[in-house]
Amino acid sequence: MRFLGDVLQTIFGFMLPEQASQGAHLVDDIFNFVTLLSIVGFIGLMGAMTYFIIRYHRSRGEKSAYIPHNAVAETIWTVIPTIIFLGIAFWGIWAYFELQKVPNDAMKINVTGKQWMWEFTYKKDNKEVSVSDIMYVPVNKAVKLDMTSTDVLHSFYVPSFRIKRDTVPGMKTHLAFTATKKGDYRIFCAEYCGTSHSRMRGTVRVVSQKRFDKWLDREISESNVTDPIELGSRLFMRNCITCHTTTDKKKIGPGLQGLFGKKREFSNADGVVANAEYIRESIIAPNTKIVNGFSGQMNSFAGLLSEKEIDYLIEYIKTLK
Ligand code: CUA
């Protein structure tokens, strides 16, 4: 059976995405068989028709024989297709339930669809971490997805794994798969869910168990950081470092070493002592006070950083002595 499936896959497989999960062939076998059946049926039907047109051709004016019906022929063309189509239906139902099976040792990941992103929550030793966009999974490991949605209907779809299911607010839906090849596979949202539906994509990244464990440990330890200075330092490296140094060296903006508590002189305002209030203002409305010798090139971070994040940044900047 597998051999036949492989032969058909070689012939028709170009029409389908890569097979990257254990159950993918269950779907493809049916698709390939139906394609083969359609081609054979089409050629057979057209061939027979052409043959009969030529073989039984009569010139005009001739009267055709009166044949009301043929019980044998009618029984054959009813019974045989019925058996074939019912066979395909049961095959499909069987494959469907086969794909629903979840092995007992399956790793669980919570999937949340929200306008317009996918969020993946992992648990390990009572700790949990949520990531978005990229879902890491170990290769050859059964995975069960417990899925829901926070707003509207979405549909979690990974073509290469041949899995797809709606995520519904207030309801849990499930999917199971075992990835068989390392690599990146596309996740799509397959249910129209608003303006950015088409951009609600993600990636399944299939990696070795070792790399997966390393990744998860790192994500968990990073997400459980609570030290405001450390969090501020990370925000600084992500948002500020392009223009400001942590020394007293000028870049596009002033270097910030020794800033806190120092008197600042401005080209467009009276001087002040740099305190938390001043730093907050410089982040939200950078051009209210422009430091002497600079031209005010900074854009406001209002809306890009939360109040909390600004507090973390201030805590971090305080430490730059
Ligand atoms: Cu979410 Cu479409």
Side-chain angles (χ1 to χ4, degrees):
M1 227 19 222
R2 212 52 233 111
F3 172 73
L4 219 70
D6 289 344
V7 172
L8 290 179
Q9 183 65 19
T10 311
I11 304 170
F12 301 119
F14 71 93
M15 290 185 274
L16 297 164
E18 187 184 354
Q19 291 180 339
S21 76
Q22 232 168 55
H25 73 90
L26 294 173
V27 175
D28 295 10
D29 285 350
I30 299 176
F31 175 86
N32 291 333
F33 176 77
V34 171
T35 308
L36 176 75
L37 191 70
S38 308
I39 291 172
V40 169
F42 179 77
I43 292 172
L45 196 65
M46 293 305 122
M49 201 172 77
T50 311
Y51 171 76
F52 288 138
I53 287 170
I54 296 163
R55 173 71 178 76
Y56 297 103
H57 169 81
R58 294 290 181 271
S59 299
R60 256 186 267 179
E62 220 174 283
K63 209 164 184 256
S64 41
Y66 177 69
I67 305 168
H69 70 99
N70 183 321
V72 177
E74 284 163 17
T75 307
I76 289 172
W77 78 49
T78 306
V79 171
I80 291 178
T82 303
I83 292 171
I84 293 174
F85 292 135
L86 280 178
I88 294 170
F90 285 119
W91 186 3
I93 293 165
W94 169 79
Y96 178 84
F97 284 108
E98 209 52 29
L99 285 168
Q100 306 306 309
K101 283 187 182 164
V102 185
N104 288 326
D105 62 340
M107 183 184 87
K108 276 185 190 153
I109 303 173
N110 286 316
V111 177
T112 309
K114 48 176 91 170
Q115 285 167 322
W116 286 276
M117 57 175 285
W118 295 106
E119 189 181 78
F120 310 107
T121 305
Y122 296 77
K123 282 201 182 101
K124 190 181 179 184
D125 312 329
N126 294 325
K127 283 183 179 154
E128 69 170 51
V129 62
S130 293
V131 298
S132 54
D133 301 330
I134 301 179
M135 178 170 90
Y136 277 74
V137 297
V139 71
N140 293 324
K141 168 92 185 153
V143 175
K144 184 187 181 212
L145 304 179
D146 289 327
M147 311 197 297
T148 191
S149 163
T150 53
D151 34 49
V152 297
L153 288 180
H154 302 277
S155 186
F156 186 86
Y157 180 31
V158 185
S160 298
F161 293 173
R162 308 293 188 273
I163 54 166
K164 178 173 165 207
R165 181 139 303 155
D166 280 12
T167 66
V168 186
M171 189 176 144
K172 286 255 183 242
T173 52
H174 311 280
L175 276 175
F177 66 88
T178 303
T180 51
K181 279 182 203 165
K182 288 186 207 168
D184 284 358
Y185 303 97
R186 274 287 187 77
I187 300 168
F188 293 99
C189 176
E191 177 79 58
Y192 181 69
C193 56
T195 318
S196 294
H197 157 72
S198 63
R199 273 180 282 153
M200 191 171 161
R201 297 183 209 156
T203 302
V204 188
R205 182 158 292 162
V206 182
V207 296
S208 66
Q209 182 73 48
K210 213 172 126 196
R211 211 182 133 205
F212 174 81
D213 291 336
K214 228 170 148 181
W215 170 82
L216 186 56
D217 289 342
R218 198 191 61 218
E219 287 295 326
I220 286 180
S221 67
E222 285 200 359
S223 75
N224 288 302
V225 168
T226 50
D227 174 24
I229 295 169
E230 173 60 25
L231 290 168
S233 151
R234 286 180 191 182
L235 285 165
F236 190 90
M237 296 308 156
R238 221 177 301 141
N239 295 290
C240 320
I241 200 76
T242 341
C243 304
H244 295 282
T245 63
T246 58
T247 63
D248 58 358
K249 276 221 174 71
K250 283 183 181 183
K251 226 171 167 184
I252 295 167
L256 300 182
Q257 188 181 36
L259 170 68
F260 202 81
K262 197 163 115 189
K263 178 95 196 253
R264 297 293 252 181
E265 301 294 344
F266 309 107
S267 56
N268 61 345
D270 293 338
V272 298
V273 170
N275 55 13
E277 208 36 61
Y278 164 72
I279 297 173
R280 169 173 283 106
E281 182 189 71
S282 300
I283 294 170
I284 298 294
N287 296 327
T288 317
K289 297 186 175 72
I290 297 171
V291 175
N292 276 339
F294 293 91
S295 57
Q297 292 187 51
M298 181 168 159
N299 290 319
S300 168
F301 276 78
L304 299 174
L305 295 169
S306 67
E307 271 307 304
K308 244 197 183 137
E309 287 175 322
I310 293 173
D311 286 340
Y312 296 152
L313 274 171
I314 293 170
E315 287 310 310
Y316 173 66
I317 290 168
K318 277 187 191 172
T319 66
L320 299 176
K321 287 179 184 140

